[in-house]
Amino acid sequence: MLKAVELAKDQGADIIIISDANTFFINSVLEYHSILGLFSEIITNQANVNDNGFISLTPRSQIAHNCPNKCAKNLCKGKEITTYLDLNGQKYSRIVYLGDGKNDYCPSTKLSSHDFVFARKKRALEKILKSDESSVVANIRFWDNAEDILKLFSKEIFTSCSAMVHKF
């Protein structure tokens, strides 16, 4: 996956993580692998470590978002990607969204016919998309491993891609 992320960055893509995890976990993993700098933005739940070493979590959203796609109470990825694109979307000709869970369905429904959803095989998002592809107008591709992502990026995306959103 690292090669695909580096390829995206080399091609000028903004790489964004939208995750229901938390800043402590995500930053720790990215710092451990020395790749935090590859990501333009991380949209997730806030985590803080107090003086006793305990982690406290603050939900990304504390207001009910009433999403029809049954997103988590604390983070609607569809709302987050819509908000991000409202602020930054004019600079992108294409969005590539990678996901695998049921909470990745909602943002998939927010993308246009120029965009791509890369759904991991044998996971919840693939099952949902295959049962109701009509609700997603983006181009759907299925992947199994990091090599698949790299091939899809090389073959289909980096002819004119300017943005990528990655679910972590």
Side-chain angles (χ1 to χ4, degrees):
M1 191 66 71
L2 179 58
K3 287 181 183 179
V5 172
E6 288 172 338
L7 174 63
K9 195 67 173 177
D10 289 346
Q11 294 292 320
D14 288 336
I15 306 170
I16 299 137
I17 293 175
I18 302 175
S19 175
D20 194 22
N22 62 73
T23 53
F24 181 81
F25 172 74
I26 294 170
N27 290 344
S28 296
V29 170
L30 298 178
E31 287 172 358
Y32 177 82
H33 292 286
S34 302
I35 59 172
L36 181 61
L38 294 175
F39 296 87
S40 307
E41 187 161 348
I42 299 171
I43 300 169
T44 191
N45 301 297
Q46 183 65 40
N48 295 302
V49 180
N50 68 20
D51 293 338
N52 296 323
F54 291 103
I55 298 172
S56 64
L57 299 176
T58 304
R60 172 78 178 179
S61 175
Q62 297 181 28
I63 301 169
H65 49 77
N66 301 316
C67 180
N69 295 313
K70 300 179 183 175
C71 294
K73 290 181 187 179
N74 60 304
L75 186 119
C76 173
K77 291 182 180 183
K79 178 182 175 213
E80 295 296 341
I81 199 167
T82 299
T83 300
Y84 184 86
L85 292 174
D86 285 347
L87 296 172
N88 303 287
Q90 70 281 357
K91 70 181 187 176
Y92 303 126
S93 60
R94 180 181 299 165
I95 305 298
V96 177
Y97 187 90
L98 282 75
D100 60 7
K102 67 180 182 177
N103 62 351
D104 294 306
Y105 173 71
C106 186
S108 300
T109 66
K110 309 298 182 193
L111 302 177
S112 76
S113 61
H114 300 287
D115 302 328
F116 281 82
V117 174
F118 287 2
R120 192 166 191 179
K121 293 178 182 176
K122 300 175 187 166
R123 302 290 175 99
L125 181 59
E126 177 192 33
K127 292 174 188 163
I128 295 167
L129 291 173
K130 285 186 172 180
S131 70
D132 185 20
E133 285 188 35
S134 64
S135 60
V136 176
V137 298
N139 300 283
I140 299 170
R141 302 291 184 269
F142 299 103
W143 61 280
D144 191 42
N145 55 46
E147 288 179 24
D148 291 345
I149 294 291
L150 187 57
K151 287 176 189 173
L152 286 166
F153 279 5
S154 299
K155 178 182 173 187
E156 299 196 44
I157 303 305
F158 291 112
T159 52
S160 64
C161 182
S162 65
M164 181 178 87
V165 177
H166 179 169
K167 178 263 181 187
F168 185 25

